[in-house]
Amino acid sequence: MNRRWTAAVAGGLALLTAVTVSACSGAESTAAEKAVEARDYVALGDSYAAGVGAGNYGDTECKQSRDGGYPRLWVKARAATPFGAVTDATCGGAVIDDVQFNQLTELDENTGWVTLTVGGNDAGWFSVLQQCMFGDGATCQTSVDKAATSFETTMPARLDTLYQAIRNRAPNAKVYVAGYPHLVADPGRTGVSCDSLTDAHRKALNAGADTLNELIKARVAAHQGFTFVDVREAFKGHEACTQEPWIHSVRDDLSESYHPTADGYQAYLKELVAVTG
């Protein structure tokens, strides 16, 4: 499931490190060595982290985009100041437990950077979308409310456990938790046909997305060294059912439905760069 796609830093940096470390003594040497080692990057999470919707997938199991997901884009954007080793542990369909028990093995004290998107599948968001697409406004609202109640009740503790596990395994890492965009245009916004998603459906779906994002944001704020990356504003005006959507509507490949396009993942990259520099 886990795939490493770049090697450690180039020999010139390794040589500089060796010279620097040799010039230090005792505890100073250990501290300098740690500072250099904690440069590895590990990408964690679900389909939104893997780049589903961007195409050019490296496998059929996890559907990691080879070049379109925000982790790959971020690595490319940092070419002038590269990471050490880079590992992509993301997998489409992942839930919190998948990340905690299957992906965190890639983390260690050398990990300096972690990105993560997870929680949408735990909220049953795809099922909610189906209810809204094929049901009336009341059915959609009931489905959204039920999902919101479920994840407000159970998800905070599960996210806290996951975030603490990340910190335990990667004590030196900066962790960036990216949220989810609104999937459909706000009610009343002009654009293209939204199929069966009426204004009532769209209002309910976007309110549910806000609840999920705010819950994740609150739990991230409770953990030192964690930063929430909010992408909702970046996608505004480019949701599904707009004239220039960065979110796919229903696709022949259903796994890509209501996932970002290549342009959508560029929006993720922009917000990630804004908080990481």
Side-chain angles (χ1 to χ4, degrees), residues 11-42:
L13 179 58
L15 177 60
L16 176 61
T17 300
V19 172
T20 302
V21 170
S22 65
C24 298
S25 62
E28 290 180 343
S29 175
T30 301
E33 198 172 22
K34 283 291 184 187
V36 173
E37 287 177 352
R39 296 182 61 258
D40 295 351
Y41 166 44
V42 179

Side-chain angles (χ1 to χ4, degrees), residues 148-196:
T149 298
S150 176
F151 58 73
E152 282 180 319
T153 301
T154 63
M155 197 178 294
R158 296 177 65 209
L159 288 175
D160 283 338
T161 299
L162 173 63
Y163 297 162
Q164 188 57 55
I166 291 172
R167 176 53 67 222
N168 291 344
R169 284 184 171 270
N172 302 309
K174 298 177 181 178
V175 184
Y176 297 91
V177 181
Y180 298 91
H182 285 177
L183 299 182
V184 291
D186 288 336
R189 182 175 293 167
T190 58
V192 297
S193 170
C194 212
D195 298 320
S196 60

